[in-house]
Amino acid sequence: MKDKTLEIAGKKFNSRLIVGTGKYPSLENMTAALKASGSEMVTVAIRRVDLKDRSPQSFYQALPKDMIILPNTAGCYTVEDALRVARLSRELLNQEPALLKLEILGDPKTLLPDTVGLLEATKILVKEGFKVLPYTNDDPIVAKRLEDLGVSAVMPLAAPIGSGLGIVNPFNIQMILEQVKSVPVIVDAGVGTASDATIAMELGADAILMNTAIAQAQDPVTMAKAMKLAIESGRMAYCAGRMVKRNSAFASSPPL
Amino acid sequence: MKIILNGKEKEVADSTTLQLLLQAMQLHPEMVACELNLNIIKRNKYGSTQLGEGDCVEILQMIGGG
């Protein structure tokens, strides 16, 4: 089966890996990991300038210049805050189209998405012309509602942010993949290691967004490469179509 | 005069503009987004945006994140 190119908001991507830029041991390490990942898009957060800390300026310099920047309303807990950060990100980046990872968190302990606020903010931002990529729960109903609102991708979590637990509910991810057909489904958050990424891709996810699994690995650069291969491998297996599972043995060689 | 810059009081020259404020802070306009009293100011208006006593200025930038 021939694969078709991933397309998000009219942009074509050769890599099905989107990488975050937080929590790396150093900026040099981040740059090397981003390059090793083969990814073409990175997420960034928007924060107040701290006059005593000039490192964010070096941060921008450390991003590989050919990568598309996906601003994230990271750390927003209300619709109001998310709208503000979204609009500021558009002014800051001045990119066309105005891509946005929309994240509205429900509480600081679980960091799970507030899907009620998410639907409300999505409606407003789509109307304002943003290409919204909402970070959502692994809830097929909400995923469908987001698709209906005109988002550019639906991004259900595999597990809570930074947990590295892998896909805790593959059944829900599968249902989302069966229901959301008009835009890419990107598994965002919760992947811990390469096999988690492969499983997500084998289920049929269009792409994966991850940060901690790479940044907090003992060797982020090698893990970035592992994730690249894992995603390619899982996607290839998905396209190839796996064999049928059987509850009994089935000899590979003819009888003697 | 006093303004509130990113939540903290700051003393600035009376006739200062957003552009002059950024210059004094050694911030490149392309690297930031600015709000004046919660309204986003377009980058091409920094030079003509005069600050007044008590104005709330927020200057934001990109940082690492997921």
Side-chain angles (χ1 to χ4, degrees), chain A residues 122-242:
Chain A
T122 298
K123 199 181 282 183
I124 296 167
L125 291 169
V126 166
K127 210 170 280 175
E128 290 182 16
F130 283 90
K131 299 295 176 191
V132 180
L133 285 73
Y135 163 64
T136 183
N137 234 315
D138 57 356
D139 178 338
I141 307 298
V142 174
K144 189 69 196 158
R145 295 275 185 277
L146 288 165
E147 183 188 25
D148 294 345
L149 287 177
V151 296
S152 297
V154 174
M155 305 208 293
L157 54 80
I161 293 173
S163 69
L165 290 171
I167 302 179
V168 292
N169 198 340
F171 176 68
N172 272 28
I173 297 291
Q174 210 150 18
M175 278 206 290
I176 291 171
L177 288 163
E178 280 162 17
Q179 290 199 29
V180 176
K181 290 290 181 198
S182 68
V183 292
V185 173
I186 302 170
V187 169
D188 178 6
V191 162
T193 189
S195 53
D196 298 335
T198 304
I199 291 169
M201 296 311 289
E202 284 173 351
L203 288 173
D206 293 285
I208 303 183
L209 197 167
M210 64 176 81
N211 189 156
T212 316
I214 294 175
Q216 297 279 289
Q218 301 306 306
D219 176 353
V221 179
T222 305
M223 186 57 90
K225 200 170 175 191
M227 290 299 186
K228 173 184 191 283
L229 296 172
I231 286 172
E232 285 172 5
S233 179
R235 181 66 187 180
M236 231 180 261
Y238 169 74
C239 290
R242 62 154 297 145

Side-chain angles (χ1 to χ4, degrees), chain A residues 21 47-49 84 91, chain B residues 26 35 43 58-59 61 65:
Chain A
T21 53
R47 290 289 180 274
R48 270 176 171 173
V49 167
R84 175 176 174 244
E91 179 58 27
Chain B
Q26 294 176 299
E35 273 180 350
R43 200 164 278 146
E58 290 277 324
I59 306 176
Q61 67 191 349

